[in-house]
Amino acid sequence: MKRALITGITGQDGSYLAELLLEKGYVVSGVVRRSSTENFERIEHLRDCLSLLQGDLLDQSSLLAALEQSQPDEVYNLAAQSFVPTSWNQAVLTGEFTALGVTRLLEAIRQYNPKIRFYQASSSEMFGKVQETPQTETTPFYPRSPYGVAKVYGHWITVNYRESYHLFACSGILFNHESPRRGLEFVTRKISDGAARIKCGLAHELRLGNLLAARDWGFAGDYVEAMWLMLQQPEPDDYVIGTGTIHTVQEVVEAAFAYVGLDWRAYVRTDPKFFRPAEVDCLCADSTKAKRVLRWEPRVSFLEMVERMVSADMERLREK
């Protein structure tokens, strides 16, 4: 039985990855930060199947202890300060978690067992002010937020440890991926929750930022399979993961409100306070390499993803 350690296991991606690995017969452990208020909602249905270990990307000794306790064959680093708007307000903290945290974990692996296979969650936000469209593994990075900058560091330090210490270290450059488990602060979930609330009579309007911002959106459950596939290859490498199709925020809104039978124009308002200081350009993935090498393909369509999110939010609100 293979053993895996996941940082960020309580997040959207961590919960889907834990499900996938358990289905494949792995012994799964997760690193969780000590907190006065525990938030294990996304993995509550898995709690009896997991081992949760205390650790923190700010503290290398705790990461080394987690490795010693879990003895993993594979480590998936999904933990980060991952909300882009927050990175403007907490730029230094974002750097500590999202950039230097990767180094701490890689160094702990190098010291404990350099044969461990390592996955780093890189991001399409690294492309920022895009230099070409669509973006591939060789497209130059031009990040436009402290989060994007921190992710570039995490990406390149992973490459550096792979080349310097011969670690099996991969980075998945994942484009936006959503699900009913997405945090409420993210725009897609804000939209699905807003549409559900308005339909249920719990709200009367939804305030958003730039409706014309365009992203390559996919389903998180599909993307964690790509993470796993990267660590099953004979050689470590980096891969762009996305659908190759872009949609605007307005298209997310249209799909969500159409699903509940409402005209979005009667309820949605733009608010300047939700605009980014520097918007990224058109992010669109070219996942040719992942399709060729990993045999990976996205399965859930954009429309199905949005409808799943709205349906889940409707069900959650009805249960309250």
Side-chain angles (χ1 to χ4, degrees):
M1 295 175 70
K2 283 188 177 181
R3 306 176 71 87
L5 179 67
I6 304 171
T7 72
I9 195 170
T10 60
Q12 170 188 254
D13 292 7
S15 65
Y16 280 113
L17 179 61
E19 283 180 347
L20 176 73
L21 296 178
L22 288 169
E23 288 171 4
K24 293 184 179 297
Y26 278 64
V27 175
V28 179
S29 300
V31 175
V32 295
R33 297 176 65 201
R34 188 179 183 280
S35 172
S36 57
T37 57
E38 294 183 341
N39 182 15
F40 298 150
E41 180 182 354
R42 296 184 183 95
I43 58 170
E44 198 59 49
H45 62 299
L46 305 173
R47 284 290 295 275
D48 293 339
C49 307
L50 302 171
S51 174
L52 298 181
L53 310 172
Q54 286 190 3
D56 198 312
L57 288 181
L58 301 183
D59 179 30
Q60 188 173 326
S61 62
S62 71
L63 299 175
L64 191 56
L67 292 173
E68 292 171 345
Q69 289 175 270
S70 60
Q71 301 178 26
D73 302 292
E74 300 170 1
V75 171
Y76 296 84
N77 183 38
L78 310 185
Q81 190 303 99
S82 59
F83 189 45
V84 175
T86 296
S87 77
W88 295 101
N89 299 324
Q90 299 182 353
V92 174
L93 186 63
T94 297
E96 287 286 351
F97 276 115
T98 308
L100 291 178
V102 186
T103 310
R104 295 185 186 102
L105 186 51
L106 283 166
E107 186 60 23
I109 289 171
R110 187 178 74 86
Q111 292 177 19
Y112 173 68
N113 179 6
K115 293 183 179 179
I116 290 172
R117 296 192 169 203
F118 175 78
Y119 171 83
Q120 165 61 14
S122 289
S123 168
S124 61
E125 289 284 334
M126 300 189 305
F127 295 120
K129 189 175 181 180
V130 298
Q131 305 301 290
E132 63 182 9
T133 300
Q135 293 88 50
T136 71
E137 292 79 8
T138 59
T139 301
F141 299 136
Y142 196 139
R144 297 269 280 172
S145 67
Y147 170 78
V149 172
K151 279 293 186 182
V152 170
Y153 177 99
H155 180 86
W156 280 117
I157 200 66
T158 300
V159 173
N160 188 259
Y161 268 67
R162 180 170 71 214
E163 295 179 350
S164 301
Y165 301 117
H166 308 292
L167 297 188
F168 193 107
C170 301
S171 284
I173 306 173
L174 271 56
F175 282 61
N176 292 63
H177 45 290
E178 318 298 323
S179 76
R181 300 179 192 175
R182 193 56 141 154
L184 283 165
E185 69 272 22
F186 290 86
V187 68
T188 49
R189 184 70 194 289
K190 185 177 179 181
I191 292 167
S192 67
D193 177 71
R197 286 182 177 278
I198 291 169
K199 181 64 176 179
C200 293
L202 300 174
H204 304 289
E205 70 172 13
L206 175 62
R207 305 186 78 83
L208 299 169
N210 182 11
L211 296 182
L212 299 180
R215 298 290 187 275
D216 182 335
W217 271 300
F219 177 62
D222 290 342
Y223 286 34
V224 298
E225 182 183 21
M227 301 176 186
W228 174 77
L229 286 168
M230 290 178 208
L231 298 196
Q232 313 315 307
Q233 303 307 306
E235 298 295 332
D237 208 344
D238 306 323
Y239 299 87
V240 162
I241 302 297
T243 70
T245 305
I246 61 169
H247 297 275
T248 63
V249 172
Q250 182 171 314
E251 288 178 85
V252 180
V253 171
E254 291 170 353
F257 278 79
Y259 183 70
V260 294
L262 296 175
D263 182 351
W264 70 273
R265 288 164 292 193
Y267 304 99
V268 175
R269 306 286 179 266
T270 56
D271 189 330
K273 77 177 183 181
F274 295 121
F275 281 67
R276 291 186 181 186
E279 183 60 82
V280 302
D281 294 325
C282 184
L283 296 176
C284 182
D286 180 347
S287 297
T288 302
K289 180 178 174 181
K291 292 176 181 178
R292 184 185 74 250
V293 178
L294 306 179
R295 305 297 183 195
W296 177 84
E297 291 274 358
R299 291 188 292 270
V300 177
S301 70
F302 170 77
L303 186 60
E304 183 182 352
M305 177 193 74
V306 175
E307 291 180 349
R308 283 190 190 186
M309 294 174 70
V310 178
S311 178
D313 279 322
M314 290 285 290
E315 185 176 345
R316 175 178 56 86
L317 292 171
R318 289 192 187 111
E319 290 175 352
K320 286 188 174 181

